[in-house]
Amino acid sequence: MATHLSEAPSAKRASEEAQAAPKVKRAGDRVFETLSTTSATLITVLIAAIGLFLIWRAVPSLSRNEGGLWGFLTYSGEWQTQATSTMQFGIPNLLAVTVLVSVVALVIAMPVALGIAIFLSNYAPKGAVKPLGYLVDMLAAVPSIVYGLWGWQVLGPWLSGFYTWLESWAGGFFLFSLYENSPSFVTGRNLFTGGIVLAVMILPIIAATTREVFVQTPKGQIEAALALGATRWEVVRMTVLPFGFSGYVSGAMLGLGRALGETMALYMVISPSSGFRFSLFDGGTTFATAIANAAPEFNNNISAGAYIAAGLVLFLLTFVVNSIARALVSKK
């Protein structure tokens, strides 16, 4: 007993001495730490520099805008940026169109992505998981201009009959109202088509993120549920979905961030319009397409500053959305 009592203090002293001794870092650890710190710092500096640049270029135009910053946030008429002494521009319509099209894309893409993730993680044969997963992921590799051409030349005209049928019985609802100057159903260049194209574009992002979270479900929970007699769907409902729900939501947020900034596909699919009437059968202009349409004005710094101000709002919007998604992933 005395021997054990004497060994205890000595072991404690040895542990304290080991903790007090300076930790020696290997050369590889030092190099990796330096590179990681430098990369993280560089990314932060670049993001801050982009934000400061947008503010610096936007302030002169905002100061000349009728109503100043308040006018920028409330004016919903035609943009007047050619005459720099009497400028009028604002973002309500751009913001509304951008959000509406992105929400339509999420509503369409999220259920499909969830079904794909559940199938690949729980139902698909092992030999088919990788090929099917690659096939879904390949959708993300298709250039946006290809999606734009497909939506403009194929999808929009193909949906004309569906739009006619939908308007015949739901036209009284504001989301499906048809106006005299709305784009023709023959071309299908409206917000609804834009939302469908965006849904296809963000589908692989949501599906891949959700699938990666679902496959991390603890095997013990799955095996325990099966041992108690649960069916495969009951296992998914009681273990996989609760475990991966936050990952599913964060994947949807990442897809939303992608949708908010899409330019070329929507530029080609949606008929441009400065107004907004809450109808999916209308044309419209998002932040990104407004900036693309105004490229000829960028030889004038003041005129360009109005669109840079819109770009600043889009930058902040996408930054907030992606930050929320990252926070959800980190929390889980």
Side-chain angles (χ1 to χ4, degrees), residues 54-68:
L54 293 175
I55 294 173
W56 171 59
R57 291 294 303 273
V59 167
S61 298
L62 289 173
S63 64
R64 300 191 184 197
N65 186 33
E66 183 175 326

Side-chain angles (χ1 to χ4, degrees), residues 47-274:
I47 293 175
I50 292 172
L52 291 174
F53 168 77
L54 293 175
I55 294 173
W56 171 59
R57 291 294 303 273
V59 167
S61 298
L62 289 173
S63 64
R64 300 191 184 197
N65 186 33
E66 183 175 326
L69 180 60
W70 178 250
F72 176 66
L73 297 175
T74 58
Y75 178 72
S76 58
E78 288 274 357
W79 281 36
Q80 307 293 336
T81 57
Q82 295 288 345
T84 56
S85 58
T86 57
M87 299 179 70
Q88 282 185 301
F89 57 92
I91 61 167
N93 288 347
L94 300 181
L95 179 61
V97 172
T98 302
V99 172
L100 179 59
V101 173
S102 300
V103 169
V104 170
L106 277 184
V107 169
I108 296 172
M110 286 182 67
V112 178
L114 180 61
I116 292 172
I118 292 175
F119 176 75
L120 292 179
S121 60
N122 293 274
Y123 289 96
K126 290 185 178 180
V129 172
K130 285 189 176 180
L132 292 175
Y134 289 148
L135 184 62
V136 174
D137 293 341
M138 280 295 293
L139 291 174
V142 178
S144 60
I145 194 169
V146 175
Y147 281 114
L149 286 170
W150 169 69
W152 174 27
Q153 296 291 328
V154 179
L155 181 64
W158 183 73
L159 289 173
S160 61
F162 169 72
Y163 291 154
T164 303
W165 170 79
L166 184 61
E167 193 273 335
S168 66
W169 63 270
F173 187 56
F174 69 96
L175 283 177
F176 305 112
S177 298
L178 188 65
Y179 301 93
E180 292 183 358
N181 58 346
S182 296
S184 171
F185 286 159
V186 175
T187 62
R189 296 188 64 199
N190 51 43
L191 299 181
F192 205 156
T193 305
I196 296 173
V197 172
L198 270 187
V200 178
M201 296 179 70
I202 67 176
L203 177 64
I205 300 174
I206 305 174
T209 304
T210 307
R211 185 184 70 216
E212 291 301 320
V213 176
F214 281 177
V215 298
Q216 300 301 321
T217 305
K219 297 298 182 183
Q221 295 182 15
I222 297 176
E223 293 172 356
L226 291 172
L228 292 173
T231 63
R232 176 61 65 179
W233 166 241
E234 289 172 336
V235 171
V236 171
R237 180 170 56 86
M238 294 187 297
T239 61
V240 176
L241 289 179
F243 178 84
F245 182 74
S246 65
Y248 173 55
V249 173
S250 63
M253 297 292 282
L254 290 173
L256 176 60
R258 170 75 174 83
L260 291 172
E262 177 53 40
T263 305
M264 286 309 302
L266 297 185
Y267 180 81
M268 302 177 70
V269 171
I270 300 177
S271 178
S273 172
S274 59

